[in-house]
Amino acid sequence: MRKKLMAANWKMYKTPDQTRDFFRNFLPLVSGQTRDEIVVCPPFLDLPAAIESAKGSNVAIGAQNVHWKEEGAFTGETSAAQLLAIGVTHVVVGHSERRQYFGETDDTVNLRLKTALEAGLTPICCVGEVLEEREAGMTDDVLRRQCVRAFHAISAKKAAKLVVAYEPVWAIGTGKTATPEIAAEAHAVIRYEAGKIFGEEFAAQLRILYGGSVKPENASALMAQEEIDGALVGGASLDPKSLAAIVKY
Ligand code: PGA
């Protein structure tokens, strides 16, 4: 019922040449793969090379962030209009690394999300608890808070394209994956919260991805969970064969 979305987050890896190389190798491996949607999110610098390489293929291109203002004196930032102008269709919002290292707050996540939705981009909004929060039994509260604040003052109509990614911070880049059951439980909390905010019908359609050490070896067990509607893949998305294996779980 919900088409899965398999998204790659390259973080701060690869040059434009390496991007072109990646697509040269990756596209033949996934051609005709239409069961799920495929999106690659390279660094800003690589977006034009990625868009050119993926043109006419079944792979869409996303950015890793977007600013909420239309334009202005915001050094180092990129607007939704700039992304749309070159053919970007998706954008990651509120990744835990932005929250951890670059001062991203629940409020700025909300601003970015609103802007992405208004612009017609498909936002992949990341939520997730850190290890101390999980150990203190606060996971559900943290997810609820992050959802309430991120979705604040957004209507269900406006949110139509919203995608959420559950990314437990303790599982990102650590090799530790949440078990499919742990992930499914968290997804159910997020879906319930989205239902309270946007209505149950919306929540039933909402795609919730899992992210955190997804690899070819664990992708099929994770994707077998009814609650899991795709993956946000970091480290294992840098190699074309590995990402193709995940996409074809
Ligand atoms: P990882 O990263 O797959 O390397 O754990 C996931 C993410 O941060 O989106």
Side-chain angles (χ1 to χ4, degrees):
M1 171 182 88
R2 296 185 294 259
K3 191 167 183 165
K4 285 190 185 358
L5 173 62
M6 307 303 281
N9 171 15
W10 281 2
K11 310 193 178 186
M12 199 173 71
Y13 289 98
K14 294 192 193 292
T15 62
D17 276 348
Q18 291 168 332
T19 300
R20 280 184 276 269
D21 267 354
F22 174 93
F23 280 96
R24 208 171 296 126
N25 293 305
F26 178 65
L27 291 178
L29 299 175
V30 297
S31 80
Q33 196 71 30
T34 51
R35 174 188 55 183
D36 304 327
E37 267 176 64
I38 310 170
V39 183
V40 175
C41 305
F44 286 109
L45 181 76
D46 299 325
L47 286 170
I51 286 160
E52 195 187 288
S53 305
K55 211 176 206 157
S57 78
N58 52 336
V59 179
I61 303 300
Q64 295 176 15
N65 200 4
V66 62
H67 196 262
W68 54 90
K69 292 282 194 185
E70 250 168 65
E71 60 181 8
F74 302 106
T75 303
E77 292 292 327
T78 305
S79 73
Q82 289 169 326
L83 296 176
L84 288 167
I86 63 163
V88 169
T89 52
H90 293 65
V91 63
V92 177
V93 169
H95 190 278
S96 65
E97 285 150 18
R98 302 293 322 165
R99 296 179 190 254
Q100 233 177 327
Y101 308 129
F102 302 103
E104 187 84 78
T105 65
D106 288 330
D107 294 333
T108 54
V109 170
N110 174 245
L111 291 169
R112 293 183 205 280
L113 197 54
K114 271 190 202 150
T115 297
L117 288 166
E118 294 218 351
L121 289 162
T122 298
I124 302 172
C125 179
C126 304
V127 296
E129 79 288 0
V130 300
L131 186 61
E132 299 75 56
E133 291 165 337
R134 172 156 289 271
E135 286 176 343
M138 287 161 57
T139 299
D140 294 4
D141 289 343
V142 170
L143 295 178
R144 274 189 213 112
R145 187 205 76 222
Q146 289 177 337
C147 288
V148 167
R149 307 268 301 266
F151 307 156
H152 176 70
I154 298 175
S155 68
K157 196 165 163 236
K158 281 259 166 70
K161 287 190 171 180
L162 174 67
V163 176
V164 177
Y166 169 58
E167 296 215 310
V169 180
W170 48 270
I172 294 179
T174 58
K176 281 189 210 158
T177 321
T179 62
E181 293 72 25
I182 289 180
E185 261 173 49
H187 285 216
V189 172
I190 294 166
R191 199 175 300 287
Y192 179 75
E193 211 51 47
K196 286 205 294 192
I197 297 167
F198 297 122
E200 270 170 38
E201 206 179 310
F202 180 97
Q205 305 293 326
L206 175 67
R207 291 186 292 180
I208 306 176
L209 318 183
Y210 168 77
S213 300
V214 176
K215 310 181 262 275
E217 301 79 52
N218 58 25
S220 60
L222 287 160
M223 294 310 123
Q225 288 285 336
E226 209 190 305
E227 267 296 338
I228 301 183
D229 306 312
L232 184 54
V233 189
S237 75
L238 295 169
D239 174 68
K241 282 201 195 103
S242 152
L243 182 61
I246 292 170
V247 165
K248 296 177 174 172
Y249 62 86

